[in-house]
């Protein structure tokens, strides 16, 4: 508290930090247009207000507001009315989506002892909204199928593929068993998917106190971490296949859309899944016998974890109400004065699992502050060049429903018009984190230099930059981080509403948020509340303000830059790094298979085996062939030279106070730049999951949230599909050549304009 106050005081005493960089370059603007832009930006940053953020959160998180609930539609109408009140044209666009809610949930230990799980989060006196039980969704995993199974229990650690490799060595099979897995280390939907692939018939997920409970810190309400009865709800749909409504893949879930029968919906989980608190999980885990779990699998409960199978037997019975419910997206438009057919889209979801003060309201209120500020600027005569679309999505929690269905419905128009999508979700305290398209790293870094960090008085850029240096592994990486002037924008996996825009439509996107100082264990529980947030997270709403400033300015610059402010050298660098990564991966896989085969021949596994705790010897594997990465290497090289040619031409054309382009030239340049980024997401998409078209990164097939870079190539190597790995290296190489070709065209345009002496 003291630290924060001092820092806030410093921040107020120093000059407004955005006034210090008047002459700093602004990507996409000439000095003259940058001066006009700065005038408006100065007015903008003064507007986002902590009190207003707090009051909006108080209202929006006051009652449970999950998709399909009365409060969900009331919140949507309230948001629309606010937006209209600020002078923006706002509408609600409605979709009909499949959203199962629980009808019956039973988890019981039927042997050797009996225990019935409570499956209920108790109200806490300290937290007034935790007692709104009549409106709370019960604890469950959305898109688990109905099921009724009784089977022996097996503990599978985090339930990710490498844990099953370990089980195999231990000689333990999950065939016909119910597995119990810790939350964490992968997206939750991966766990039942991998369990079912190994023959399990049911899946229990629980939050281990080691991860976000009492081993992490004081538990709620004394501290921010997960109390014994806290449960993480969440979707278990097969999101890496496609996002959005499971019945309408690839098309908008409008009222009259053609729908798959539920029995044919491929993204619904294959086996029943139920989440548990650690209070409910402990008796189940304690009843498992067999071998003790490997030392690094032990969690934070005061028991020895065993692997099983059995003798613990569990009865799992789940029934759901499989209904179509309305999803209410609130969408507001500020028409562009000069380039109305180029759109900057900015969004955050408004639905929550329960009250959702942090997830998603802490991010949604930033959008509202940006909207309020834009309303005020419009009254003073501000007119952005391009159209700004502000969206508050519904149904993000079940599976990015509102954003995906909207993006699919307007896919053709977005494909032609959207220049960027800017996303936020829950927001905390600390450093700015950014993932997304490398081509937006320069723009974001310029903005972040102009926004003060509330706790340190440094700029948001400086704090994040120093954080990148401090956390870089090894001297080389540290040096590299120190020298880098643009913030590191990490590759996008999935887990929020950018997915349809970036991965499906190839629109350059950013996902932004402050974090690193906001640990807790209330995620997707009834304890993610106004009380929790205002006690433990961004209590003064100064990071909400910083977020509204950061994303607001990024939106404004995208909307008013003369030339789209993409910068491609970060992309070209990332491609080079990722190319080296996949080559290293291939080499590592080769080497480790060769080594393992050799150890099998040399009887190493016999020598290393403890006969009292025997391990199964792995089988010999075929050594992978050498692969031809040449088309990918050529594409990467071509992109690199096109990028530097474009940068040189750009710098030459934008010298002094003006630029070398006439109006049709400017139109063509912007159109080319927009096309350049689309080249990375060709219509054929990724193998086995063509909905995902972005070839630069995708949510991992077996990781979910975490991105796989060059996913086509990398996942083929992971799965040992060698011809596919080569075909994907070729496809990606082609996409890079195409992007390079467009950049060459853009460079030629600038060069000839310059030569013609305009
Ligand atoms: Zn969220």
């Amino acid at each position: 508290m003291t630290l924060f106050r001092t820092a806030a005081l410093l921040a107020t005493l120093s000059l407004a930090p955005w006034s210090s960089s008047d002459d700093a370059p602004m990507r996409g603007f000439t000095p003259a247009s940058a001066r006009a832009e700065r005038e408006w930006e100065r007015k903008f940053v003064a507007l986002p207000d902590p009190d207003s953020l707090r009051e909006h959160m108080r209202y929006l998180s006051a009652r449970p507001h999950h998709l399909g609930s009365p409060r969900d539609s009331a919140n949507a109408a309230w948001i629309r009315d606010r937006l209209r009140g600020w002078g923006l044209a706002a509408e609600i666009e409605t979709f009909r989506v499949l959203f199962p809610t629980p009808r019956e949930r039973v988890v019981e230990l039927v042997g050797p002892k009996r225990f019935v799980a409570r499956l209920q989060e108790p109200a806490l006196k300290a937290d007034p909204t935790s007692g709104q039980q009549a409106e709370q969704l019960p604890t469950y995993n959305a898109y688990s199928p109905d099921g009724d199974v009784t089977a022996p229990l097996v503990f599978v650690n985090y339930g990710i593929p490498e844990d099953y490799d370990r089980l195999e060595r231990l000689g333990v099979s999950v065939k016909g068993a119910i597995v119990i897995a810790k939350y964490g280390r992968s997206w939750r939907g991966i766990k039942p998917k991998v369990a079912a692939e190994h023959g399990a018939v049911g899946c229990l997920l629980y939050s281990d106190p080691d991860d976000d409970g009492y081993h992490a810190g004081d538990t709620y309400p004394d501290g921010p971490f997960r109390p014994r009865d806290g449960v993480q709800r969440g979707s278990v749909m097969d999101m890496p296949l496609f996002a959005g409504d499971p019945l309408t893949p690839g098309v908008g879930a409008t009222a009259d859309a053609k729908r798959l029968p539920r029995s044919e919906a491929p993204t619904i989980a294959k086996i029943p899944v139920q989440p548990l608190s650690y209070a409910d999980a402990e008796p189940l885990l304690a009843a498992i016998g067999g071998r003790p779990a490997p030392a690094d699998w032990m969690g934070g409960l005061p028991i020895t974890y065993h692997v099983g199978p059995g003798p613990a037997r569990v009865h799992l019975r789940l029934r759901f109400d499989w209904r179509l419910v309305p999803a209410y997206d609130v969408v507001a438009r500020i028409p562009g004065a000069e380039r109305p057919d180029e759109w900057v889209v900015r969004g955050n979801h408004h639905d929550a699992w329960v009250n959702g003060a942090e997830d998603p309201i802490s991010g949604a209120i930033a959008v509202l502050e940006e909207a309020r500020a834009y309303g005020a600027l419009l009254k003073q005569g501000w007119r952005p060049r391009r159209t700004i679309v502000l969206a508050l999505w519904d149904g993000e929690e079940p599976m990015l429903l509102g954003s995906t269905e909207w993006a699919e419905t307007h896919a053709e128009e977005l494909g032609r018009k959207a220049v960027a999508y800017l996303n936020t979700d829950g927001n905390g305290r600390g450093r700015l984190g950014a993932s997304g398209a490398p081509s937006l790293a320069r723009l974001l870094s310029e903005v972040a230099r102009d926004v003060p960090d509330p706790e340190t008085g440094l700029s948001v850029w400086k704090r994040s930059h120093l954080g990148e240096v401090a956390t870089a592994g090894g001297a080389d990486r540290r040096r590299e981080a120190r020298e880098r002037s643009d913030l590191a924008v990490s590759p996008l996996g999935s887990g929020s509403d950018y997915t349809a825009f970036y991965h499906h439509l190839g629109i350059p996107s950013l996902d932004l948020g402050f974090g690193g100082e906001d640990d807790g264990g209330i995620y997707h529980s009834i304890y993610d509340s106004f009380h929790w947030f205002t006690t433990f997270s961004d209590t003064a709403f100064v990071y909400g303000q910083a977020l509204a400033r950061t994303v607001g300015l990024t939106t404004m610059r995208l909307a008013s830059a003369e030339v789209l402010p993409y910068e491609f050298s970060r992309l070209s660098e990332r491609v080079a790094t990722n190319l080296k990564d996949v080559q290293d991966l291939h080499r590592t896989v080769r080497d480790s298979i060769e080594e393992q085969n050799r150890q099998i021949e040399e009887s190493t596994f016999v020598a290393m085996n403890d006969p009292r705790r025997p391990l199964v010897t792995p089988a010999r594997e075929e050594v992978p062939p050498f692969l031809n990465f040449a088309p990918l290497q050529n594409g990467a090289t071509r992109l690199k030279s096109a990028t530097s040619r474009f940068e040189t031409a750009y710098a030459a054309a934008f010298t002094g106070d003006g630029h070398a382009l006439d109006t049709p030239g400017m139109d063509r340049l912007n159109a080319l730049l927009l096309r350049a980024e689309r080249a990375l997401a060709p219509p054929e998409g990724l193998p086995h999951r063509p909905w995902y078209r972005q070839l630069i990164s995708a949510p991992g097939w077996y990781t979910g949230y975490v991105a796989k870079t060059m996913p086509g190539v990398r996942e083929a190597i992971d799965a040992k599909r060698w011809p596919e790995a080569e075909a994907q290296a070729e496809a990606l190489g082609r996409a890079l050549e195409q992007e390079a070709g467009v950049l060459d065209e853009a460079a030629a345009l600038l060069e000839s304009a310059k030569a013609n002496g305009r």
Side-chain angles (χ1 to χ4, degrees), residues 348-349 351 358-360 396-397 424-426 495-497 523-524:
N348 193 108
H349 68 106
D351 70 299
E358 182 198 58
D359 182 6
E396 188 270 357
E397 292 298 358
T424 56
D425 202 322
S496 195
D497 291 305
Y523 177 61
H524 292 183

Side-chain angles (χ1 to χ4, degrees), residues 57-65 71 75 129 132 355 530:
M57 176 179 283
R58 193 196 301 280
Y59 180 86
L60 290 169
S61 67
R63 310 213 68 92
H65 55 106
R71 184 63 182 218
N75 274 0
T129 60
Q132 298 166 337
N355 297 74
F530 188 73

